[in-house]
Amino acid sequence: MKVTYPHMGTINIVLNALLRELNLEIVPPPPTSKKTLELGTAHGPEFACLPLKITLGNFLEALEQGAEILIMAGGCGPCRFGYYAQVQREILTDLGHNSTMLILEPPQTGWIDFLGKLRWLLGGLPVRAFQRGWTLGMAKARAIDCVEEELERTRPVEALHGVGNAEFNRFLNQLDQATTLAETAKLTKTYQSLLRQLQEGRRASIKVGVVGEIYTVLEPFSNQDLLQRLGALGVEVQRKLRLSHWISEHLTLNSRKRRQFRQEITALAKPYLQYFVGGHGLESVAHSIQLCQEGASGIIQVAPLTCMPEIVAETVLPQVSKDIGKPILTLFVDEQTAPAGLQTRLEAFLDLLPLNDISQHSS
Amino acid sequence: MPIIGVPRALLYYEFFPLWNGFFTSLGWEVVTSEPTTKGTIDQGVSMAVDETCFPIKVFYGHFLELCHRCDFIFLPRLVSIEPRAYICPKFMGLPDLVRGLTTQPILEPVVNLHSNKDYWRQLWGAAQLTGAKMGIKSNFRIGQALLCGLKEQQKHYQSLNNIVSPENTSTQKPRGRIGVIGHPYTIYDPAVNMNLLRFLENAGYQVVTPYNFPNQLLTAIANELPKELFWTYGRKVIGAARLWYQRKLVDGIIDLVTFGCGTDSVTGEIIERLVRRESNLPFLLLTVDEHTGEAGFYTRLEAFIDMIQFKAAIAGGDV
């Protein structure tokens, strides 16, 4: 049986690690491209948010390649993401695809359902196989996050633009092939030091925090390579939203740790936003404060157009910006977003940053 | 006697009887903002962030108009009004959205009935908090006021349900019946929906909305979907649409959505596909926002009504 999944940044490496342990044949969707987006936009609901359209495009392209089982995550609201899979299944049915959609709802919403699907995925293999795949997948996710953090420090200061990125891509390719934890750890070390060499001891003078909706932060296609663009403009990107955080936050069963994490976020956002609003709305507010405290000169919020939680965050962020004295730029992306407009806005925002810092110091 | 202000927007259109009953029973005066006008909308649009949905923009207009005329603004944080469902993320952050716009104190009890277990404890907590904020400590008085409010709300629901019940389909059929689905604040605000209900009535049709049917019935039908919906109004609109076409209660369905509504973008898509797949009812998706013009809007409606009449004529053998 050929399984596939949607892209979200580098999540394919994590999923490959897991699914290979389960002896499943993987048909990864072709890398997200303009064609993916066109397919998704043509068949998806007009006013739905961008991730729904892109992931729908991923599925359609994977089906063309012969995929039979589509793996998708679920959720329990209030963000629309929890109902994506349902809408996508209806759309695929109407288009005449009789593929099966395997929707993994978070275990918190229903254990029996979750375990049942797990068992189906295992298909006779011992649970240990899943455990092994999971451990390797999570190790890879953490490895990616470590190296990517180094990459974000390298991009603004590397002598030749693009070298760091090329190294990172090579790292991803090798990591995807790695089959053991030791190999993963070794690759991480190698590439971390390689990237550090590229930095030659320099550090970017401007740091900008990136917050917002997780998909548009992690998937470079959806945000027009925002992080890379910022790097090329000489900015060190700082962010709390990373792949391994997202996975463990969603699937961790350690409720004490979960609660502790939530409490910290809630306390920081409290003066501006006193209740969770689904998605990463609360995080956007809390992380903006956190990142500025840690030395960022400004914040960029990125989210898909009509994203409900991020609109709430966007509304309260001007007050946050006033109180912490740092500018915040909100970027909504959709299928109409063009690179030139984005570049212009980024450049204007970055031009303002040093001025803002000077006026902060003098006053 | 201090005055409580209730903006005539969003869930005012569903829960005003409850709120009004509660406050007047405690001896407080309740004022609402004036019905929506072009001015309300313009003011709301100028203050709200560009990307937000139309109903929130209208809400801003009402809020700004009202906040000078009262001592407290009542803006409950409606997280959830029934088990296992939310309303919308924006309702969960509503008081935070407008906190910076006024110096007037905001009464913002949290209403979170998401869990079946502590439904009544939560509801009571919200009522108690509201009373305490206004200096009423007597649990007896608050309890009495809550009961009074709930009774008013029940009366309101009954009056809505009386218009038509699904069992009693024999109510006189003028020329036919059109079902309009949407959120209460789009369906019952004529300035937002370009007087849609009146237009349909003038064209000789009886109009039914999801709010004319008992909630349990709609929820039960909506829950037949493979996955339970986690939005209260999503359940109502999907439940209503399915009920109408399954039992052939209407001659056509209009899905009235507002621009930028997140939940409708998902539920609307599912409804449209279900209606097309499982029935042959005429279906019209109407999106309204601050730019909607009368001409384009009514032309589409007229075409829709023509379609219903053609279908009726063909079925009646007149053509």
Side-chain angles (χ1 to χ4, degrees):
Chain A
M1 225 137 22
K2 295 172 183 167
V3 297
T4 192
Y5 48 73
H7 282 301
M8 174 167 101
T10 48
I11 205 169
N12 55 327
I13 292 172
V14 180
L15 290 171
N16 283 347
L18 175 67
L19 296 171
R20 274 185 208 136
E21 283 294 333
L22 302 180
N23 280 342
L24 290 164
E25 191 185 339
I26 307 163
V27 181
T32 305
S33 65
K34 227 166 166 189
K35 188 191 157 212
T36 319
L37 180 61
E38 270 165 23
L39 274 173
T41 317
H43 299 291
E46 186 183 357
F47 293 119
C49 38
L50 189 63
L52 190 152
K53 299 177 191 174
I54 299 183
T55 50
L56 177 66
N58 284 149
F59 283 141
L60 285 166
E61 285 188 308
L63 285 166
E64 268 174 37
Q65 313 264 321
E68 292 160 320
I69 310 268
L70 315 176
I71 299 180
M72 183 68 186
C76 44
C79 165
R80 274 177 282 184
F81 176 70
Y83 227 72
Y84 271 18
Q86 308 294 326
V87 182
Q88 289 171 338
R89 191 191 43 223
E90 297 300 324
I91 294 170
L92 294 177
T93 311
D94 278 351
L95 286 175
H97 294 286
N98 41 12
S99 47
T100 316
M101 207 154 193
L102 186 76
I103 305 161
L104 293 170
E105 301 289 343
Q108 291 88 0
T109 57
W111 271 100
I112 300 165
D113 178 76
F114 184 72
L115 292 175
K117 277 172 185 155
L118 217 59
R119 206 153 138 210
W120 186 90
L121 266 178
L122 278 165
L125 285 171
V127 181
R128 226 160 351 115
F130 183 81
Q131 221 171 4
R132 234 183 358 244
W134 178 255
T135 319
L136 184 63
M138 275 311 282
K140 284 188 178 179
R142 284 193 207 99
I144 294 170
D145 288 349
C146 286
V147 178
E148 205 175 9
E149 222 177 311
E150 206 60 66
L151 172 69
E152 276 153 17
R153 275 195 286 271
T154 310
R155 273 177 188 148
V157 294
E158 61 192 354
L160 196 61
H161 280 310
V163 179
N165 246 1
E167 291 300 338
F168 183 64
N169 285 335
R170 199 159 344 163
F171 162 72
L172 291 179
N173 282 334
Q174 289 179 17
L175 185 71
D176 195 24
Q177 302 307 322
T179 48
T180 61
L181 289 175
E183 234 177 298
T184 307
K186 200 173 143 231
L187 276 172
T188 315
K189 274 238 173 72
T190 317
Y191 278 92
Q192 261 180 324
S193 62
L194 218 157
L195 286 169
R196 222 167 282 147
Q197 276 168 23
L198 287 176
Q199 294 166 18
E200 293 168 5
R202 289 186 294 257
R203 194 78 195 266
S205 56
I206 302 178
K207 298 183 188 96
V208 166
V210 172
V211 300
E213 191 274 333
I214 185 88
Y215 183 90
T216 48
V217 171
L218 293 187
E219 173 59 56
F221 178 83
S222 72
N223 60 28
Q224 308 277 350
D225 296 314
L226 174 71
L227 304 186
Q228 207 181 322
R229 255 170 224 283
L230 284 168
L233 286 166
V235 172
E236 182 177 321
V237 172
Q238 302 195 310
R239 59 189 167 114
K240 306 267 171 196
L241 289 175
R242 291 192 188 274
L243 186 58
S244 60
H245 295 195
W246 182 73
I247 300 174
S248 51
E249 186 193 313
H250 267 76
L251 292 169
T252 185
L253 301 169
N254 184 340
S255 56
R256 200 167 57 86
K257 221 168 155 188
R258 262 175 95 94
R259 215 173 312 134
Q260 207 180 353
F261 172 76
R262 299 282 342 157
Q263 260 164 7
E264 202 184 319
I265 295 287
T266 315
L268 268 173
K270 181 114 205 221
Y272 310 100
L273 189 55
Q274 299 177 359
Y275 214 86
F276 96 103
V277 291
H280 285 82
L282 209 53
E283 279 86 344
S284 287
V285 177
H287 289 168
S288 298
I289 301 167
Q290 252 173 343
L291 288 166
C292 283
Q293 282 169 351
E294 290 166 16
S297 322
I299 299 290
I300 294 177
Q301 182 202 18
V302 53
L305 188 72
T306 74
C307 172
M308 302 183 278
E310 294 300 331
I311 285 174
V312 178
E314 183 203 5
T315 313
V316 303
L317 279 179
Q319 190 59 43
V320 177
S321 164
K322 211 190 266 173
D323 291 351
I324 56 178
K326 307 275 165 131
I328 300 181
L329 172 71
T330 299
L331 293 174
F332 277 99
V333 293
D334 69 359
E335 61 267 28
Q336 312 284 343
T337 307
L342 182 77
Q343 184 75 16
T344 312
R345 293 188 68 190
L346 286 182
E347 283 168 7
F349 181 69
L350 296 177
D351 284 347
L352 284 174
L353 285 185
L355 296 176
N356 184 61
D357 281 349
I358 291 165
S359 70
Q360 289 285 313
H361 285 305
S362 59
S363 62
Chain B
M1 182 97 333
I3 303 165
I4 308 276
V6 180
R8 195 190 287 262
L10 302 180
L11 290 190
Y12 158 91
Y13 290 98
E14 176 146 359
F15 294 114
F16 185 66
L18 168 67
W19 302 339
N20 191 36
F22 180 79
F23 289 123
T24 45
S25 165
L26 287 173
W28 302 76
E29 194 187 329
V30 176
V31 293
T32 61
S33 49
E34 296 300 317
T36 316
T37 59
K38 185 89 181 51
T40 324
I41 296 175
D42 285 346
Q43 203 177 12
V45 169
S46 71
M47 288 307 288
V49 295
D50 295 339
E51 290 83 3
T52 201
C53 58
F54 186 42
I56 293 283
K57 291 179 180 171
V58 177
F59 160 75
Y60 269 78
H62 283 282
F63 180 85
L64 291 169
E65 189 237 309
L66 186 68
C67 61
H68 307 293
R69 296 203 275 121
C70 57
D71 303 306
F72 286 99
I73 298 167
F74 183 62
L75 220 55
R77 194 186 293 273
L78 296 168
V79 176
S80 165
I81 52 170
E82 65 179 0
R84 292 199 311 285
Y86 298 101
I87 298 173
C88 155
K90 287 169 203 158
F91 283 79
M92 298 161 86
L94 198 59
D96 299 315
L97 295 184
V98 290
R99 198 181 309 283
L101 295 181
T102 178
T103 49
Q104 225 78 309
I106 300 177
L107 278 176
E108 40 173 313
V110 176
V111 180
N112 183 355
L113 312 179
H114 193 272
S115 144
N116 229 338
K117 258 184 293 177
D118 56 358
Y119 187 95
W120 288 104
R121 199 171 59 83
Q122 287 280 352
L123 192 60
W124 169 245
Q128 212 175 18
L129 196 81
T130 315
K133 268 252 174 123
M134 301 186 301
I136 294 170
K137 292 194 183 68
S138 155
N139 276 349
F140 177 72
R141 279 187 66 196
I142 293 171
Q144 223 177 7
L146 182 62
L147 278 182
C148 178
L150 287 172
K151 218 182 283 169
E152 290 294 320
Q153 189 65 28
Q154 206 52 40
K155 256 190 250 167
H156 169 67
Y157 283 142
Q158 267 159 11
S159 71
L160 279 176
N161 286 349
N162 276 345
I163 293 177
V164 61
S165 79
E167 271 64 46
N168 179 16
T169 49
S170 63
T171 37
Q172 82 238 18
K173 262 192 169 182
R175 276 172 91 170
R177 195 188 281 148
I178 293 178
V180 180
I181 52 179
H183 297 238
Y185 41 83
T186 47
I187 289 188
Y188 294 119
D189 189 341
V192 163
N193 63 30
M194 322 283 295
N195 232 335
L196 171 70
L197 303 199
R198 176 66 55 83
F199 182 88
L200 293 175
E201 272 159 13
N202 286 348
Y205 285 87
Q206 188 192 21
V207 180
V208 288
T209 73
Y211 311 97
N212 299 138
F213 297 87
N215 191 27
Q216 291 97 323
L217 179 68
L218 300 184
T219 309
I221 295 176
N223 285 351
E224 288 166 8
L225 288 179
K227 176 175 174 174
E228 191 181 79
L229 259 172
F230 42 69
W231 301 303
T232 296
Y233 292 97
R235 283 182 190 173
K236 284 186 204 239
V237 295
I238 287 199
R242 298 193 77 197
L243 173 79
W244 292 339
Y245 73 69
Q246 279 172 357
R247 302 207 193 165
K248 302 200 167 42
L249 295 182
V250 296
D251 301 295
I253 297 178
I254 296 179
D255 188 5
L256 182 67
V257 304
T258 44
F259 185 81
C261 178
T263 65
D264 277 347
S265 70
V266 167
T267 52
E269 179 79 6
I270 292 183
I271 291 170
E272 195 171 340
R273 285 175 190 276
L274 288 179
V275 171
R276 291 237 177 92
R277 217 184 285 162
E278 298 175 11
S279 81
N280 55 359
L281 278 183
F283 179 87
L284 176 67
L285 179 81
L286 278 177
T287 308
V288 288
D289 71 356
E290 62 268 33
H291 307 297
T292 306
E294 280 186 14
F297 189 81
Y298 291 135
T299 309
R300 294 188 62 193
L301 273 175
E302 280 161 6
F304 180 71
I305 289 172
D306 283 349
M307 179 159 71
I308 292 178
Q309 286 171 358
F310 282 142
K311 277 190 87 130
I314 291 166
D318 298 345
V319 181

